[in-house]
Amino acid sequence: MRVVSWRDRLRPELWAVQAYSVPAQEVPVKLDANENPYHLSDDARADLARELARIDLNRYPDPRATRLKEALAESLGVMPEQVLLGCGVDEIIGLLATAFARPPEGRSQAAVMYPWPSFAMFRITSQAHGLRLVEVPLDEAWQLRADRALGAIEAEDPGVIFFPSPNNPTGNRLDPEVMRAVIESTPGALTVVDEAYFDFCGSTLLPLVHAHPGLAVFRTLSKMGLAGLRVGALVGHPDLVRELDKARQPYNLNALSQRAAELALTRFKDELAGQARRIVVDREKLSSALRELPGMTVFPSDANFILIRLAANASEVWEKLLAQGVLVRNLDAPGPLAGCLRVTVGTPAENERFLETLAGILNR
């Protein structure tokens, strides 16, 4: 009799998935995760502490996150029934992978399409759900060409299409006309524009949601300074939100995150918006300074991070930065990101420490 283990019950696709890796190093200058480097003001933190102390932690949170949904809908100019909230955008990507797992006629697998390189969780989550990956390569300027996108759609018939704009890790916005062309010519798929970095560019396709039932937009509180809350949102047609909500766990957002996020969208919104404006100014200063360093290609950014390509061995440079207390994201691997590092825009002091350390490594 053959011995059967739990390993025999796993879907074979899962064995091929490589889990998302987050370095655990504690360093003085942490510029690897696209986080806002600024805390809330002392007054705002004291206000937040008072509000959170009033929450009855012995009770389950509001399963609908009603007040937060209303606050977010008002800030975006949409109806609450157009908003689906998740434990970060990551959870919502998983909900979409679950909901859109039905293969099209004549196919054995459902497909998900996205540009590449882009946000790693599009690949990891889709692969873990057993979906077929359709990765459309970006050109040398990190743009998606319309002919490539439409050709891939015609050949692969994806159920969900992700457009990250601004794109992580390249930092640039995708051409809105290409995205519009896909939205208008592909009614049989759901197109999702991931606008996680909206606060640093102000460019959005959100107004198109009202006219296109097959379009949805992601937003998150993580990049604006509240990564620890893990609050993300999808904005789309009420019918889409209603169906996706069936796959959502009833208490996916805890009570503390719900209240803190609501305050961020109301009482603290001006303070957080001011931080975003400061980061944009510092991004341009950091980009200019990086361009002065030898052997450096600095790609334009519309986000809160900058992608650079080094003539020197990027992995060795990353290791030397880390050894001196500066952590950035190492993207150096065979493929389009060979020789690349991604650096988050930090405080002026952190940016200066990074620049001085990098310059010392390159000059040696």
Side-chain angles (χ1 to χ4, degrees):
M1 179 178 178
R2 189 173 75 91
V3 177
V4 177
S5 79
W6 59 268
R7 292 175 174 82
D8 298 298
R9 305 297 184 181
L10 282 177
R11 292 200 326 274
E13 299 94 345
L14 198 59
W15 291 109
V17 176
Q18 184 174 354
Y20 188 80
S21 174
V22 179
Q25 293 97 336
E26 293 292 332
V27 292
V29 181
K30 186 177 184 297
L31 303 176
D32 68 318
N34 302 343
E35 299 154 323
N36 180 334
Y38 300 108
H39 296 292
L40 288 169
S41 65
D42 289 344
D43 287 345
R45 295 174 82 175
D47 189 8
L48 178 61
R50 285 191 296 269
E51 290 290 340
L52 297 185
R54 297 189 177 102
I55 294 175
D56 295 325
L57 295 180
N58 58 315
R59 304 296 184 186
Y60 283 108
D62 175 6
R64 314 300 302 175
T66 306
R67 291 178 57 174
L68 173 56
K69 190 175 291 188
E70 290 173 349
L72 181 59
E74 182 176 354
S75 71
L76 296 178
V78 299
M79 299 178 294
E81 54 265 36
Q82 290 181 269
V83 177
L84 179 77
L85 295 171
C87 182
V89 164
D90 294 340
E91 182 190 16
I92 303 176
I93 294 173
L95 295 177
L96 290 166
T98 298
F100 285 84
R102 179 181 179 180
E105 186 175 352
R107 304 270 188 170
S108 60
Q109 282 180 299
V112 170
M113 188 184 104
Y114 46 87
W116 194 257
S118 65
F119 185 38
M121 294 311 297
F122 298 149
R123 169 186 281 180
I124 294 171
T125 303
S126 299
Q127 193 174 9
H129 280 75
L131 304 181
R132 186 162 43 89
L133 307 181
V134 181
E135 298 182 339
V136 183
L138 297 173
D139 64 18
E140 293 182 354
W142 305 126
Q143 283 295 337
L144 181 65
R145 286 171 31 188
D147 59 336
R148 289 181 180 175
L150 295 173
I153 293 167
E154 177 68 23
E156 303 293 344
D157 196 11
V160 179
I161 302 166
F162 290 112
F163 285 144
S165 185
N167 183 31
N168 175 18
T170 61
N172 61 297
R173 288 175 290 170
L174 297 183
D175 186 341
E177 294 307 313
V178 173
M179 292 189 287
R180 284 173 183 263
V182 171
I183 294 164
E184 293 172 356
S185 63
T186 317
L190 175 68
T191 301
V192 182
V193 181
D194 183 356
E195 296 182 348
Y197 298 93
F198 164 80
D199 298 284
F200 310 103
C201 71
S203 176
T204 180
L205 292 187
L206 185 61
L208 296 184
V209 167
H210 302 287
H212 296 278
L215 171 66
V217 170
F218 282 160
R219 291 292 178 88
T220 181
L221 273 65
S222 294
K223 309 309 175 185
M224 65 186 291
L226 300 166
L229 297 184
R230 305 303 299 127
V231 175
L234 174 145
V235 182
H237 192 279
D239 290 347
L240 171 67
V241 170
R242 189 179 306 112
E243 295 305 313
L244 290 176
D245 197 48
K246 298 174 182 178
R248 179 186 63 85
Q249 297 298 311
Y251 302 110
N252 62 329
L253 284 186
N254 69 75
L256 299 174
S257 289
Q258 288 188 34
R259 182 60 177 146
E262 180 192 347
L263 292 170
L265 294 167
T266 53
R267 294 186 201 174
F268 309 148
K269 64 177 181 179
D270 292 338
E271 180 176 333
L272 292 169
Q275 292 177 359
R277 290 192 295 270
R278 184 176 182 182
I279 290 168
V280 169
V281 172
D282 288 340
R283 177 187 71 199
E284 300 311 309
K285 292 180 180 178
L286 181 57
S287 294
S288 296
L290 284 166
R291 291 189 180 96
E292 299 299 318
L293 297 179
M296 183 75 61
T297 300
V298 182
F299 295 99
S301 175
D302 299 298
N304 67 337
F305 61 85
I306 301 166
L307 182 70
I308 58 176
R309 175 171 279 133
L310 286 70
N313 186 304
S315 292
E316 289 185 5
V317 171
W318 178 84
E319 290 176 356
K320 292 177 180 179
L321 284 168
L322 181 58
Q324 297 183 57
V326 179
L327 177 62
V328 300
R329 186 71 171 178
N330 185 11
L331 302 173
D332 183 27
L337 294 173
C340 288
L341 302 176
R342 189 194 69 195
V343 54
T344 306
V345 180
T347 65
E350 290 173 332
N351 296 337
E352 187 63 29
R353 169 80 176 271
F354 162 67
L355 285 168
E356 290 178 355
T357 306
L358 179 61
I361 292 169
L362 295 177
N363 289 330
R364 283 196 297 271

